[in-house]
């Protein structure tokens, strides 16, 4: 605890008390951490998860909905247990962790009050040539419901002033069949 507190005070780590999560806020330190982890044999599983996360982001940007649904299913299986698998919070956590590689290119807003609701995930690019991404999660509904909610509740509000490509990503998880569905709508704003 003392070491983590010290790293937070020095600015090497940040801590969100409400969500009880830690992040590496500095891009150079993030890159250095990835480099160190990628070279360490003891981190083989971490490297595999990072590679899968990077591929998921690429598949999302390439609009490969089947690949995205499969990547999210794999992440959900890694995170969930038999007791928590059908829990929506577990799925939200799995999706956030599945997109871990996105922190290299995006500021990620989780459970953000915007417009007339709360957006599950918003990715604001801070590098050129990356699309903004809004991800809305539904359980036991449809991807159409999620896409409609993004529009109806004005989840694009944090993107005021942004000009470029926007990906609206709708994810639906069916508890009975345990099937993950994805639909991605690309727009220019």
């Amino acid at each position: 605890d003392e070491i983590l507190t010290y790293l937070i005070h020095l600015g090497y780590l940040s801590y969100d008390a409400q969500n009880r999560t830690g992040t590496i806020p500095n891009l150079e330190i993030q890159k250095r951490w990835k480099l160190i982890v990628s070279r360490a044999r003891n981190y083989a599983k971490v490297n595999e998860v990072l590679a899968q996360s990077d591929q998921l982001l690429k598949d999302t940007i390439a609009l490969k909905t089947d690949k995205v649904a499969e990547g999210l299913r794999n992440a959900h299986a890694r995170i969930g247990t038999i007791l928590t698998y059908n829990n929506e919070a577990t799925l939200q956590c799995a999706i956030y962790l599945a997109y871990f590689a996105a922190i290299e290119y995006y500021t990620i807003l989780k459970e953000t009050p915007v417009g007339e609701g709360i957006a599950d995930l918003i990715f604001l690019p801070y590098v050129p040539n990356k699309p903004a991404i809004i991800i809305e999660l539904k359980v036991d509904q449809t991807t159409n419901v999620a896409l409609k909610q993004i529009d109806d509740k004005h989840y694009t509000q944090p993107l005021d002033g942004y000009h470029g490509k926007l990906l609206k990503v709708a994810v639906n998880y069916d508890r009975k069949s345990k099937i993950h569905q994805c639909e991605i709508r690309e727009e220019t704003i």
Side-chain angles (χ1 to χ4, degrees):
D1 286 348
E2 290 176 13
I3 291 170
L4 291 175
T5 301
Y6 188 66
L7 290 172
I8 289 168
H9 286 293
L10 288 174
Y12 291 108
L13 294 177
S14 65
Y15 182 71
D16 180 345
Q18 183 178 1
N19 292 320
R20 301 184 64 160
T21 58
T23 58
I24 301 172
N26 182 292
L27 184 60
E28 290 83 19
I29 295 172
Q30 287 175 14
K31 287 181 179 181
R32 187 73 179 149
W33 178 79
K34 282 184 177 181
L35 179 67
I36 290 168
V37 168
S38 70
R39 291 181 178 168
R41 284 187 7 200
N42 295 344
Y43 288 103
K45 192 65 175 170
V46 173
N47 291 331
E48 179 184 326
V49 170
L50 287 174
Q52 290 170 353
S53 177
D54 189 52
Q55 187 60 51
L56 178 64
L57 182 60
K58 288 176 183 173
D59 289 341
T60 302
I61 293 170
L63 309 177
K64 296 180 179 178
T65 56
D66 290 340
K67 293 281 191 183
V68 172
E70 180 184 341
L72 294 176
R73 181 186 57 76
N74 292 339
H76 194 184
R78 252 193 329 269
I79 299 297
T81 67
I82 195 162
L83 298 175
T84 65
Y85 193 80
N86 279 340
N87 181 307
E88 187 172 347
T90 300
L91 181 56
Q92 284 176 324
C93 180
I95 289 173
Y96 177 70
L97 290 175
Y99 281 101
F100 181 78
I103 64 173
E104 191 168 338
Y105 312 104
Y106 294 94
T107 298
I108 302 173
L109 307 174
K110 299 175 289 189
E111 292 289 319
T112 305
V114 293
E116 300 168 15
I118 297 176
D120 289 320
L121 286 170
I122 299 175
F123 292 35
L124 303 170
Y126 55 79
V127 298
N129 303 318
K130 291 289 182 193
I133 301 172
I134 298 174
I135 300 175
E136 182 59 29
L137 165 67
K138 291 294 169 201
V139 174
D140 295 332
Q141 295 186 44
T142 67
T143 55
N144 287 334
V145 170
L147 288 170
K148 187 171 175 5
Q149 183 171 328
I150 291 171
D151 292 333
D152 290 351
K153 297 204 176 198
H154 310 290
Y155 286 176
T156 58
Q157 188 179 40
L159 301 172
D160 288 348
Y162 169 81
H163 300 288
K165 228 192 279 188
L166 167 64
L167 303 181
K168 295 177 180 177
V169 180
V171 176
N172 182 60
Y173 169 67
D174 185 283
R175 287 182 181 144
K176 288 181 185 172
S177 66
K178 302 207 181 323
I179 291 175
H180 297 73
Q181 300 166 311
C182 177
E183 186 175 343
I184 302 173
R185 185 182 305 150
E186 181 180 24
E187 297 177 5
T188 302
I189 57 173

